[in-house]
Amino acid sequence: MKTFLVLIFALAPLTSWGYANFIGHGYPSCLNCHFNPFGGGQLNDYGRVVSATAISARTFYPDNVSEEKLAYLSGFLFRKPKQDHLRLQANYRGFSMYQNPGSEQESKRWITMQSDIRATLKFGENDKFIVSGEYGRVPMPEFPGEGLNEQQYYSRNYFVGHRPNENFGIYLGLMDKLYGIRVIEHIAYSRSNPRVSQNDPVHGISTHFLTKGWEGGISAFVGNLEQEPEYRMKGASGMLEKTVFDLHRIGASFLSSKNDFQRLTSAAIHGRFNIKEGSAILSEIGQTTKSFEDNNGNRTSRYALLQTSVRPWRGLYFLTNIEYQKQNIHQDDYSVRIGPGLQYFPIQRVELRADAYNTRNFSNDNTRKDSWLLLLQTHIWL
Amino acid sequence: MKQAFLIIALIITSEAWAQNKVNILVSLSPAGSFSAVSGKVKGKLSKENGSFVAKKIQLAINSLKTGIDLRDEHFWEHLNAKTHSKAILTNLVAKDGKASATLEVNGEKKPIIIRYTETGKNINAKFSVRASDFKLPPKSYLGVGVKDEVEVEVTLGYKNKK
């Protein structure tokens, strides 16, 4: 099991899971479009329609296909659901990854990162009770180790939820920790430092509240029960956001967790700004402290993220990521990563994405100052 | 020469239109908001002895754009644009930052109170209204609804009355 989890974590860092930048369309809360109020996972009916009629281009549709028809087609199997209680979704995501092209360290590979099915059962007015989860293939490594030749399957997200009213909900299951902005880049320092990336979900209980000016939640977790008990990171986290000037959000988060070997505490402040017409700016600054049982490797890291998402026209987003990381605040070394990207939704259910990342290490003893990464990604969902 | 005058007149007219704008901020339930914006506001606002007066200012409902085509269609439908295609403000009288007028939407007329500021040759007016006051029923789409109270911002250019 340990090897299996190591494999998952090793392959984790490059997939996407939520679109915090869609605050630019006037949706500051994930609750409008996802069954999970903190985002990620399966889209609800409204989310599917927004995806089809606001996010995706309509260039390839004839003029006589109305927006209402596009909305109708956004349901599972290209039709409006005929019953109220079961919603299904299937996802495929794969990408070509080129590392350090043109250098001695050049490598190129294709990874099928995600192929899963998602299901949600919902009951009651305004989906008062839900049961939601996903199940799919574990990405296969390029050189599988012993015992890893067979395709394995896992679920990285399942929960039951009760939402007695619009303002409050409680959720129990395997979920992502509440912390910071869930940006779509899992290699982001703001996700890797506090260990809140795609494959760091934990079993626990989360509450979610939403008022006119505020949104947030608190979660208590016992680690991932798939892991051996001594490795499970147990603790709590929370996130709070305030709506400012009707359109924007500013927020703060905390996280504290530990297992038999280490303790991790982290805190961050962030902002999400709607710059209209589907464009947005996201920013986060945080600090993470890791301390180990044997005091070997204790360190405090700092990180910052600035992401711009500019939508020149429907279906297309120009992305720019600027990231900073200082792995140990008591040392001089630091890294800066700059990543321009292009995200294109040519038709509903299809996302094409190209990203280039340059990571520069400002260190006296680092033999490789620059590394380059080019990603070409295809994401299809039904 | 006639063509030159025509072009100048067109430019002046278009600049005058460009000053006028309506922005309706609609809050969503459970969360979020959108703005419905139109620059096609028709009507004359004039200033005389420190007071502003307008007999009739009107806006074509289907000139309002929300940034999502499907949402535009739903918004126009919600405002019953097929039957009542215009929102009309009548008998506007304004002085010292406060104004009163009658607003007609969906064929229903209601008196409203407006706050405004004057910037250059424009006034920037703000007021809030309840959709239910204009007999517009609660509306939701796939679980996301619009809240009853909406904020309206209007920018209008004015002319001094001689």
Side-chain angles (χ1 to χ4, degrees), chain A residues 76-102:
Chain A
F76 184 65
L77 299 180
F78 302 92
R79 66 180 188 192
K80 189 178 176 181
K82 290 182 175 171
Q83 41 73 35
D84 290 334
H85 303 300
L86 176 64
R87 294 291 180 268
L88 297 169
Q89 187 177 329
N91 286 273
Y92 170 80
R93 190 189 296 271
F95 54 79
S96 287
M97 182 169 74
Y98 301 87
Q99 283 180 295
N100 301 307

PDB file of all heavy atoms in Angstrom, chain A residues 76-102:
ATOM      1  N   PHE A  76     -25.169  14.806 -18.891  1.00  0.00           N
ATOM      2  CA  PHE A  76     -24.485  13.536 -19.140  1.00  0.00           C
ATOM      3  C   PHE A  76     -25.150  12.862 -20.345  1.00  0.00           C
ATOM      4  O   PHE A  76     -26.374  12.837 -20.451  1.00  0.00           O
ATOM      5  CB  PHE A  76     -24.594  12.648 -17.895  1.00  0.00           C
ATOM      6  CG  PHE A  76     -23.840  11.361 -18.003  1.00  0.00           C
ATOM      7  CD1 PHE A  76     -22.460  11.365 -18.101  1.00  0.00           C
ATOM      8  CD2 PHE A  76     -24.505  10.152 -18.005  1.00  0.00           C
ATOM      9  CE1 PHE A  76     -21.749  10.172 -18.190  1.00  0.00           C
ATOM     10  CE2 PHE A  76     -23.808   8.950 -18.093  1.00  0.00           C
ATOM     11  CZ  PHE A  76     -22.426   8.961 -18.190  1.00  0.00           C
ATOM     12  N   LEU A  77     -24.360  12.320 -21.244  1.00  0.00           N
ATOM     13  CA  LEU A  77     -24.842  11.702 -22.484  1.00  0.00           C
ATOM     14  C   LEU A  77     -25.622  12.680 -23.364  1.00  0.00           C
ATOM     15  O   LEU A  77     -26.575  12.319 -24.048  1.00  0.00           O
ATOM     16  CB  LEU A  77     -25.688  10.455 -22.190  1.00  0.00           C
ATOM     17  CG  LEU A  77     -24.944   9.343 -21.439  1.00  0.00           C
ATOM     18  CD1 LEU A  77     -25.862   8.143 -21.191  1.00  0.00           C
ATOM     19  CD2 LEU A  77     -23.704   8.896 -22.199  1.00  0.00           C
ATOM     20  N   PHE A  78     -25.239  13.949 -23.278  1.00  0.00           N
ATOM     21  CA  PHE A  78     -25.718  14.997 -24.194  1.00  0.00           C
ATOM     22  C   PHE A  78     -27.222  15.243 -24.114  1.00  0.00           C
ATOM     23  O   PHE A  78     -27.873  15.477 -25.125  1.00  0.00           O
ATOM     24  CB  PHE A  78     -25.321  14.654 -25.643  1.00  0.00           C
ATOM     25  CG  PHE A  78     -23.846  14.503 -25.816  1.00  0.00           C
ATOM     26  CD1 PHE A  78     -23.240  13.259 -25.682  1.00  0.00           C
ATOM     27  CD2 PHE A  78     -23.057  15.605 -26.072  1.00  0.00           C
ATOM     28  CE1 PHE A  78     -21.867  13.120 -25.816  1.00  0.00           C
ATOM     29  CE2 PHE A  78     -21.685  15.470 -26.210  1.00  0.00           C
ATOM     30  CZ  PHE A  78     -21.088  14.226 -26.077  1.00  0.00           C
ATOM     31  N   ARG A  79     -27.758  15.163 -22.935  1.00  0.00           N
ATOM     32  CA  ARG A  79     -29.179  15.491 -22.807  1.00  0.00           C
ATOM     33  C   ARG A  79     -29.470  15.936 -21.385  1.00  0.00           C
ATOM     34  O   ARG A  79     -28.708  15.642 -20.454  1.00  0.00           O
ATOM     35  CB  ARG A  79     -30.034  14.296 -23.180  1.00  0.00           C
ATOM     36  CG  ARG A  79     -29.877  13.157 -22.208  1.00  0.00           C
ATOM     37  CD  ARG A  79     -30.731  11.979 -22.582  1.00  0.00           C
ATOM     38  NE  ARG A  79     -30.678  10.997 -21.516  1.00  0.00           N
ATOM     39  CZ  ARG A  79     -31.118   9.769 -21.631  1.00  0.00           C
ATOM     40  NH1 ARG A  79     -31.620   9.353 -22.762  1.00  0.00           N
ATOM     41  NH2 ARG A  79     -31.067   8.930 -20.610  1.00  0.00           N
ATOM     42  N   LYS A  80     -30.604  16.581 -21.258  1.00  0.00           N
ATOM     43  CA  LYS A  80     -31.036  17.032 -19.943  1.00  0.00           C
ATOM     44  C   LYS A  80     -31.430  15.816 -19.105  1.00  0.00           C
ATOM     45  O   LYS A  80     -32.111  14.914 -19.630  1.00  0.00           O
ATOM     46  CB  LYS A  80     -32.238  17.968 -20.129  1.00  0.00           C
ATOM     47  CG  LYS A  80     -32.672  18.690 -18.895  1.00  0.00           C
ATOM     48  CD  LYS A  80     -33.832  19.615 -19.254  1.00  0.00           C
ATOM     49  CE  LYS A  80     -34.360  20.286 -18.009  1.00  0.00           C
ATOM     50  NZ  LYS A  80     -35.495  21.156 -18.318  1.00  0.00           N
ATOM     51  N   PRO A  81     -30.993  15.753 -17.849  1.00  0.00           N
ATOM     52  CA  PRO A  81     -31.349  14.587 -17.037  1.00  0.00           C
ATOM     53  C   PRO A  81     -32.867  14.419 -16.932  1.00  0.00           C
ATOM     54  O   PRO A  81     -33.601  15.412 -16.821  1.00  0.00           O
ATOM     55  CB  PRO A  81     -30.755  14.912 -15.662  1.00  0.00           C
ATOM     56  CG  PRO A  81     -29.753  15.973 -15.906  1.00  0.00           C
ATOM     57  CD  PRO A  81     -30.194  16.734 -17.103  1.00  0.00           C
ATOM     58  N   LYS A  82     -33.297  13.144 -16.949  1.00  0.00           N
ATOM     59  CA  LYS A  82     -34.738  12.901 -16.896  1.00  0.00           C
ATOM     60  C   LYS A  82     -35.234  12.625 -15.482  1.00  0.00           C
ATOM     61  O   LYS A  82     -36.405  12.414 -15.262  1.00  0.00           O
ATOM     62  CB  LYS A  82     -35.088  11.731 -17.818  1.00  0.00           C
ATOM     63  CG  LYS A  82     -34.929  12.102 -19.281  1.00  0.00           C
ATOM     64  CD  LYS A  82     -35.314  10.980 -20.208  1.00  0.00           C
ATOM     65  CE  LYS A  82     -35.240  11.462 -21.653  1.00  0.00           C
ATOM     66  NZ  LYS A  82     -35.402  10.406 -22.607  1.00  0.00           N
ATOM     67  N   GLN A  83     -34.316  12.528 -14.545  1.00  0.00           N
ATOM     68  CA  GLN A  83     -34.725  12.353 -13.148  1.00  0.00           C
ATOM     69  C   GLN A  83     -33.852  13.274 -12.271  1.00  0.00           C
ATOM     70  O   GLN A  83     -32.854  13.833 -12.731  1.00  0.00           O
ATOM     71  CB  GLN A  83     -34.628  10.882 -12.718  1.00  0.00           C
ATOM     72  CG  GLN A  83     -33.390  10.141 -13.209  1.00  0.00           C
ATOM     73  CD  GLN A  83     -32.110  10.544 -12.499  1.00  0.00           C
ATOM     74  OE1 GLN A  83     -32.129  10.840 -11.325  1.00  0.00           O
ATOM     75  NE2 GLN A  83     -30.998  10.570 -13.211  1.00  0.00           N
ATOM     76  N   ASP A  84     -34.274  13.443 -11.022  1.00  0.00           N
ATOM     77  CA  ASP A  84     -33.646  14.461 -10.166  1.00  0.00           C
ATOM     78  C   ASP A  84     -32.537  13.933  -9.266  1.00  0.00           C
ATOM     79  O   ASP A  84     -31.845  14.728  -8.624  1.00  0.00           O
ATOM     80  CB  ASP A  84     -34.711  15.095  -9.262  1.00  0.00           C
ATOM     81  CG  ASP A  84     -35.662  15.953 -10.054  1.00  0.00           C
ATOM     82  OD1 ASP A  84     -35.254  16.451 -11.119  1.00  0.00           O
ATOM     83  OD2 ASP A  84     -36.825  16.108  -9.617  1.00  0.00           O
ATOM     84  N   HIS A  85     -32.365  12.637  -9.154  1.00  0.00           N
ATOM     85  CA  HIS A  85     -31.572  12.125  -8.035  1.00  0.00           C
ATOM     86  C   HIS A  85     -30.168  11.629  -8.360  1.00  0.00           C
ATOM     87  O   HIS A  85     -29.326  11.593  -7.473  1.00  0.00           O
ATOM     88  CB  HIS A  85     -32.356  11.007  -7.337  1.00  0.00           C
ATOM     89  CG  HIS A  85     -33.694  11.479  -6.861  1.00  0.00           C
ATOM     90  ND1 HIS A  85     -33.827  12.508  -5.952  1.00  0.00           N
ATOM     91  CD2 HIS A  85     -34.942  11.083  -7.185  1.00  0.00           C
ATOM     92  CE1 HIS A  85     -35.120  12.719  -5.732  1.00  0.00           C
ATOM     93  NE2 HIS A  85     -35.806  11.881  -6.475  1.00  0.00           N
ATOM     94  N   LEU A  86     -29.900  11.226  -9.559  1.00  0.00           N
ATOM     95  CA  LEU A  86     -28.580  10.672  -9.880  1.00  0.00           C
ATOM     96  C   LEU A  86     -27.916  11.496 -10.965  1.00  0.00           C
ATOM     97  O   LEU A  86     -28.515  11.792 -11.994  1.00  0.00           O
ATOM     98  CB  LEU A  86     -28.714   9.215 -10.353  1.00  0.00           C
ATOM     99  CG  LEU A  86     -27.414   8.545 -10.820  1.00  0.00           C
ATOM    100  CD1 LEU A  86     -26.424   8.417  -9.662  1.00  0.00           C
ATOM    101  CD2 LEU A  86     -27.708   7.176 -11.420  1.00  0.00           C
ATOM    102  N   ARG A  87     -26.669  11.887 -10.706  1.00  0.00           N
ATOM    103  CA  ARG A  87     -25.895  12.613 -11.709  1.00  0.00           C
ATOM    104  C   ARG A  87     -24.569  11.881 -11.919  1.00  0.00           C
ATOM    105  O   ARG A  87     -23.908  11.497 -10.950  1.00  0.00           O
ATOM    106  CB  ARG A  87     -25.601  14.044 -11.242  1.00  0.00           C
ATOM    107  CG  ARG A  87     -26.855  14.905 -11.132  1.00  0.00           C
ATOM    108  CD  ARG A  87     -27.439  15.203 -12.510  1.00  0.00           C
ATOM    109  NE  ARG A  87     -28.630  16.024 -12.433  1.00  0.00           N
ATOM    110  CZ  ARG A  87     -29.871  15.559 -12.366  1.00  0.00           C
ATOM    111  NH1 ARG A  87     -30.090  14.234 -12.362  1.00  0.00           N
ATOM    112  NH2 ARG A  87     -30.905  16.369 -12.303  1.00  0.00           N
ATOM    113  N   LEU A  88     -24.193  11.718 -13.176  1.00  0.00           N
ATOM    114  CA  LEU A  88     -22.974  10.995 -13.515  1.00  0.00           C
ATOM    115  C   LEU A  88     -22.048  11.864 -14.343  1.00  0.00           C
ATOM    116  O   LEU A  88     -22.492  12.802 -15.020  1.00  0.00           O
ATOM    117  CB  LEU A  88     -23.317   9.735 -14.331  1.00  0.00           C
ATOM    118  CG  LEU A  88     -24.175   8.677 -13.625  1.00  0.00           C
ATOM    119  CD1 LEU A  88     -24.662   7.641 -14.629  1.00  0.00           C
ATOM    120  CD2 LEU A  88     -23.396   8.017 -12.504  1.00  0.00           C
ATOM    121  N   GLN A  89     -20.783  11.569 -14.273  1.00  0.00           N
ATOM    122  CA  GLN A  89     -19.800  12.287 -15.090  1.00  0.00           C
ATOM    123  C   GLN A  89     -18.619  11.343 -15.327  1.00  0.00           C
ATOM    124  O   GLN A  89     -18.259  10.553 -14.451  1.00  0.00           O
ATOM    125  CB  GLN A  89     -19.316  13.539 -14.342  1.00  0.00           C
ATOM    126  CG  GLN A  89     -18.427  14.449 -15.173  1.00  0.00           C
ATOM    127  CD  GLN A  89     -18.032  15.720 -14.421  1.00  0.00           C
ATOM    128  OE1 GLN A  89     -18.784  16.215 -13.587  1.00  0.00           O
ATOM    129  NE2 GLN A  89     -16.851  16.223 -14.696  1.00  0.00           N
ATOM    130  N   ALA A  90     -18.045  11.395 -16.509  1.00  0.00           N
ATOM    131  CA  ALA A  90     -16.843  10.621 -16.806  1.00  0.00           C
ATOM    132  C   ALA A  90     -15.769  11.580 -17.288  1.00  0.00           C
ATOM    133  O   ALA A  90     -16.070  12.552 -17.985  1.00  0.00           O
ATOM    134  CB  ALA A  90     -17.142   9.583 -17.875  1.00  0.00           C
ATOM    135  N   ASN A  91     -14.529  11.333 -16.891  1.00  0.00           N
ATOM    136  CA  ASN A  91     -13.428  12.256 -17.216  1.00  0.00           C
ATOM    137  C   ASN A  91     -12.241  11.520 -17.788  1.00  0.00           C
ATOM    138  O   ASN A  91     -11.904  10.434 -17.317  1.00  0.00           O
ATOM    139  CB  ASN A  91     -12.919  12.929 -15.938  1.00  0.00           C
ATOM    140  CG  ASN A  91     -13.871  13.965 -15.428  1.00  0.00           C
ATOM    141  OD1 ASN A  91     -13.826  15.108 -15.829  1.00  0.00           O
ATOM    142  ND2 ASN A  91     -14.761  13.553 -14.559  1.00  0.00           N
ATOM    143  N   TYR A  92     -11.631  12.152 -18.746  1.00  0.00           N
ATOM    144  CA  TYR A  92     -10.324  11.679 -19.215  1.00  0.00           C
ATOM    145  C   TYR A  92      -9.389  12.881 -19.291  1.00  0.00           C
ATOM    146  O   TYR A  92      -9.779  13.961 -19.751  1.00  0.00           O
ATOM    147  CB  TYR A  92     -10.418  11.049 -20.613  1.00  0.00           C
ATOM    148  CG  TYR A  92      -9.051  10.805 -21.182  1.00  0.00           C
ATOM    149  CD1 TYR A  92      -8.318   9.697 -20.805  1.00  0.00           C
ATOM    150  CD2 TYR A  92      -8.462  11.743 -22.029  1.00  0.00           C
ATOM    151  CE1 TYR A  92      -7.030   9.507 -21.272  1.00  0.00           C
ATOM    152  CE2 TYR A  92      -7.174  11.566 -22.495  1.00  0.00           C
ATOM    153  CZ  TYR A  92      -6.463  10.441 -22.107  1.00  0.00           C
ATOM    154  OH  TYR A  92      -5.186  10.272 -22.561  1.00  0.00           O
ATOM    155  N   ARG A  93      -8.184  12.701 -18.801  1.00  0.00           N
ATOM    156  CA  ARG A  93      -7.205  13.777 -18.919  1.00  0.00           C
ATOM    157  C   ARG A  93      -5.838  13.154 -19.180  1.00  0.00           C
ATOM    158  O   ARG A  93      -5.387  12.268 -18.462  1.00  0.00           O
ATOM    159  CB  ARG A  93      -7.134  14.576 -17.619  1.00  0.00           C
ATOM    160  CG  ARG A  93      -6.322  15.859 -17.732  1.00  0.00           C
ATOM    161  CD  ARG A  93      -6.120  16.474 -16.359  1.00  0.00           C
ATOM    162  NE  ARG A  93      -7.356  16.887 -15.729  1.00  0.00           N
ATOM    163  CZ  ARG A  93      -7.917  18.087 -15.875  1.00  0.00           C
ATOM    164  NH1 ARG A  93      -7.343  18.984 -16.645  1.00  0.00           N
ATOM    165  NH2 ARG A  93      -9.031  18.389 -15.245  1.00  0.00           N
ATOM    166  N   GLY A  94      -5.219  13.600 -20.248  1.00  0.00           N
ATOM    167  CA  GLY A  94      -3.879  13.103 -20.543  1.00  0.00           C
ATOM    168  C   GLY A  94      -3.011  14.247 -21.023  1.00  0.00           C
ATOM    169  O   GLY A  94      -3.526  15.269 -21.484  1.00  0.00           O
ATOM    170  N   PHE A  95      -1.697  14.092 -20.862  1.00  0.00           N
ATOM    171  CA  PHE A  95      -0.850  15.165 -21.388  1.00  0.00           C
ATOM    172  C   PHE A  95       0.527  14.684 -21.815  1.00  0.00           C
ATOM    173  O   PHE A  95       1.018  13.649 -21.359  1.00  0.00           O
ATOM    174  CB  PHE A  95      -0.730  16.338 -20.423  1.00  0.00           C
ATOM    175  CG  PHE A  95      -0.280  15.990 -19.037  1.00  0.00           C
ATOM    176  CD1 PHE A  95       1.047  15.754 -18.755  1.00  0.00           C
ATOM    177  CD2 PHE A  95      -1.202  15.937 -18.015  1.00  0.00           C
ATOM    178  CE1 PHE A  95       1.447  15.469 -17.472  1.00  0.00           C
ATOM    179  CE2 PHE A  95      -0.809  15.652 -16.727  1.00  0.00           C
ATOM    180  CZ  PHE A  95       0.522  15.406 -16.458  1.00  0.00           C
ATOM    181  N   SER A  96       1.085  15.438 -22.727  1.00  0.00           N
ATOM    182  CA  SER A  96       2.483  15.260 -23.113  1.00  0.00           C
ATOM    183  C   SER A  96       3.322  16.163 -22.236  1.00  0.00           C
ATOM    184  O   SER A  96       2.983  17.339 -22.065  1.00  0.00           O
ATOM    185  CB  SER A  96       2.713  15.687 -24.563  1.00  0.00           C
ATOM    186  OG  SER A  96       2.160  14.763 -25.428  1.00  0.00           O
ATOM    187  N   MET A  97       4.373  15.606 -21.710  1.00  0.00           N
ATOM    188  CA  MET A  97       5.245  16.396 -20.838  1.00  0.00           C
ATOM    189  C   MET A  97       6.658  16.388 -21.412  1.00  0.00           C
ATOM    190  O   MET A  97       7.238  15.325 -21.629  1.00  0.00           O
ATOM    191  CB  MET A  97       5.246  15.779 -19.430  1.00  0.00           C
ATOM    192  CG  MET A  97       6.069  16.533 -18.437  1.00  0.00           C
ATOM    193  SD  MET A  97       5.771  15.958 -16.748  1.00  0.00           S
ATOM    194  CE  MET A  97       6.622  14.408 -16.770  1.00  0.00           C
ATOM    195  N   TYR A  98       7.157  17.558 -21.694  1.00  0.00           N
ATOM    196  CA  TYR A  98       8.532  17.701 -22.194  1.00  0.00           C
ATOM    197  C   TYR A  98       9.327  18.417 -21.110  1.00  0.00           C
ATOM    198  O   TYR A  98       8.951  19.514 -20.695  1.00  0.00           O
ATOM    199  CB  TYR A  98       8.583  18.563 -23.446  1.00  0.00           C
ATOM    200  CG  TYR A  98       7.759  18.037 -24.599  1.00  0.00           C
ATOM    201  CD1 TYR A  98       6.414  18.369 -24.707  1.00  0.00           C
ATOM    202  CD2 TYR A  98       8.331  17.226 -25.572  1.00  0.00           C
ATOM    203  CE1 TYR A  98       5.643  17.891 -25.756  1.00  0.00           C
ATOM    204  CE2 TYR A  98       7.565  16.752 -26.627  1.00  0.00           C
ATOM    205  CZ  TYR A  98       6.224  17.087 -26.713  1.00  0.00           C
ATOM    206  OH  TYR A  98       5.472  16.613 -27.739  1.00  0.00           O
ATOM    207  N   GLN A  99      10.415  17.774 -20.697  1.00  0.00           N
ATOM    208  CA  GLN A  99      11.253  18.419 -19.684  1.00  0.00           C
ATOM    209  C   GLN A  99      12.581  18.814 -20.304  1.00  0.00           C
ATOM    210  O   GLN A  99      13.214  18.034 -21.010  1.00  0.00           O
ATOM    211  CB  GLN A  99      11.495  17.471 -18.504  1.00  0.00           C
ATOM    212  CG  GLN A  99      10.274  17.376 -17.589  1.00  0.00           C
ATOM    213  CD  GLN A  99      10.491  16.452 -16.436  1.00  0.00           C
ATOM    214  OE1 GLN A  99      10.662  15.257 -16.640  1.00  0.00           O
ATOM    215  NE2 GLN A  99      10.467  16.990 -15.229  1.00  0.00           N
ATOM    216  N   ASN A 100      12.974  20.018 -20.035  1.00  0.00           N
ATOM    217  CA  ASN A 100      14.261  20.566 -20.495  1.00  0.00           C
ATOM    218  C   ASN A 100      14.544  20.277 -21.959  1.00  0.00           C
ATOM    219  O   ASN A 100      15.563  19.653 -22.297  1.00  0.00           O
ATOM    220  CB  ASN A 100      15.398  20.014 -19.620  1.00  0.00           C
ATOM    221  CG  ASN A 100      15.186  20.376 -18.177  1.00  0.00           C
ATOM    222  OD1 ASN A 100      14.991  21.538 -17.845  1.00  0.00           O
ATOM    223  ND2 ASN A 100      15.197  19.377 -17.307  1.00  0.00           N
ATOM    224  N   PRO A 101      13.638  20.659 -22.866  1.00  0.00           N
ATOM    225  CA  PRO A 101      13.848  20.362 -24.290  1.00  0.00           C
ATOM    226  C   PRO A 101      15.150  20.979 -24.799  1.00  0.00           C
ATOM    227  O   PRO A 101      15.502  22.093 -24.426  1.00  0.00           O
ATOM    228  CB  PRO A 101      12.616  20.993 -24.968  1.00  0.00           C
ATOM    229  CG  PRO A 101      12.003  21.906 -23.962  1.00  0.00           C
ATOM    230  CD  PRO A 101      12.405  21.411 -22.626  1.00  0.00           C
ATOM    231  N   GLY A 102      15.842  20.210 -25.635  1.00  0.00           N
ATOM    232  CA  GLY A 102      17.080  20.691 -26.237  1.00  0.00           C
ATOM    233  C   GLY A 102      18.300  20.545 -25.355  1.00  0.00           C
ATOM    234  O   GLY A 102      19.411  20.919 -25.745  1.00  0.00           O
TER     235      GLY A 102
END
